[in-house]
Amino acid sequence: MHMPALREDLRGLWLLVIWDLNRMKSRTLFVVMRVSWFALQVSLFGLALSAMVRFRAIAGTNLDYYHFYLFGIYTSMLFSISVSKAYDIAEEFEEGTIEYLLSLPFPRRVLALGRSIGGGVASFLFTLPMFAFIVYLLGSYDPVALTVSMISALAFSIGVVGFVLTVVLSLKSSDSTDIAFGLLDAILVRLSTVFYPALVLSKIAPYYYAALVNPLSHMSDLLRTIFFFEEFKAIAVANPDLMAAYVFGLAVGLSTLAVLVVEKAVEGGGWK
């Protein structure tokens, strides 16, 4: 690719990321409400749950359910916020905003990649106060762990938004989008290790194998082992290197899929 063309693509990518970030500003009150509810959830319900749940006798190691719960609830929140981009994108199609974006001098691949990255960055920033509150509760300020976990969370969010973009373009209906992602959110969160370790789920084979391939399981267990490796290495769905490869592979694969679908779907108005 020639340098001027590459420079224009990068400029277009940057503008699309800014587009998504600017749209997040209009949701400031919503962000404050969700962060406040999250703080209440982890400081009240999380402590109550950890007082009722005991893993020690099951896993044979010194586990703290509160540590387990905090990273699980954060992962479910990051996933739900990323999935909520589906409703925004479906609304853009209904309002005709996509026609404005298509009229801009960006290649289709830049449009798809820019929306995936922009939506992922916006969703990650949305949940960043929640992540900071968890770090405060844990009192763990290891700079390496913080950096790796935030990069992993950002990659996860970009991958989910890429998937969202692909599905919305395939469904071409806001009603179908609402139903599909409502179900997907409910099912994937529950068929994962967000709230229960894989060791406990192994008693129910379908549940267990679903959790092993579930991206939420890999993301939540990756965060747990990044901060508390010795505590959670025995109950994670895989070793940290494999889980990190899964998360980053998910981001690259689903963003690439979004590029392919957008290039095909918008050709000749095929997205309508």
Side-chain angles (χ1 to χ4, degrees), residues 7-261:
R7 194 159 46 240
E8 283 301 310
D9 284 357
L10 292 176
R11 178 175 174 275
L13 204 63
W14 171 251
L15 292 175
L16 287 164
V17 171
I18 296 299
W19 162 278
D20 270 302
L21 294 180
N22 283 334
R23 288 175 67 83
M24 194 178 74
K25 290 180 182 176
S26 62
R27 305 173 70 188
T28 302
L29 179 60
F30 182 63
V31 173
V32 172
M33 291 174 62
R34 292 299 293 266
V35 172
S36 300
W37 170 245
F38 180 82
L40 179 65
Q41 191 172 8
V42 298
S43 58
L44 182 61
F45 301 129
L47 288 173
L49 276 174
S50 65
M52 292 185 288
V53 177
R54 292 289 182 271
F55 279 163
R56 190 171 301 175
I58 299 173
T61 185
N62 190 24
L63 296 173
D64 185 329
Y65 183 73
Y66 192 55
H67 292 171
F68 185 90
Y69 172 82
L70 288 180
F71 290 113
I73 196 69
Y74 171 74
T75 299
S76 70
M77 188 62 68
L78 178 63
F79 178 71
S80 297
I81 296 299
S82 301
V83 162
S84 73
K85 293 299 293 182
Y87 311 121
D88 295 340
I89 295 170
E91 189 176 334
E92 289 176 7
F93 279 94
E94 296 280 336
E95 295 174 345
T97 306
I98 190 64
E99 293 180 350
Y100 163 72
L101 293 175
L102 288 171
S103 70
L104 299 175
F106 302 138
R108 303 292 187 247
R109 65 177 182 279
V110 174
L111 176 62
L113 197 57
R115 296 308 307 275
S116 298
I117 295 175
V121 171
S123 300
F124 168 70
L125 292 178
F126 190 115
T127 63
L128 196 56
M130 305 176 195
F131 183 79
F133 190 64
I134 286 178
V135 171
Y136 168 75
L137 290 174
L138 295 173
S140 179
Y141 304 104
D142 181 350
V144 176
L146 289 172
T147 303
V148 174
S149 58
M150 286 193 289
I151 292 174
S152 301
L154 177 59
F156 177 80
S157 184
I158 290 173
V160 172
V161 175
F163 173 71
V164 158
L165 187 59
T166 300
V167 175
V168 173
L169 274 169
S170 302
L171 294 176
K172 304 174 183 176
S173 164
S174 58
D175 291 339
S176 298
T177 296
D178 289 347
I179 296 170
F181 282 104
L183 287 172
L184 188 72
D185 192 353
I187 292 172
L188 284 185
V189 169
R190 284 155 184 80
L191 294 180
S192 72
T193 60
V194 162
F195 297 116
Y196 315 103
L199 195 63
V200 172
L201 302 180
S202 64
K203 298 176 182 177
I204 308 173
Y207 204 150
Y208 174 67
Y209 290 113
L212 289 184
V213 297
N214 191 327
L216 276 80
S217 299
H218 288 262
M219 186 64 219
S220 53
D221 280 359
L222 176 61
L223 291 177
R224 289 166 183 140
T225 51
I226 285 175
F227 281 91
F228 300 103
F229 177 73
E230 292 300 330
E231 186 177 1
F232 293 114
K233 64 180 181 182
I235 63 168
V237 292
N239 69 56
D241 291 340
L242 285 177
M243 291 188 290
Y246 184 103
V247 170
F248 285 98
L250 186 83
V252 173
L254 293 179
S255 298
T256 302
L257 180 63
V259 170
L260 295 175
V261 170

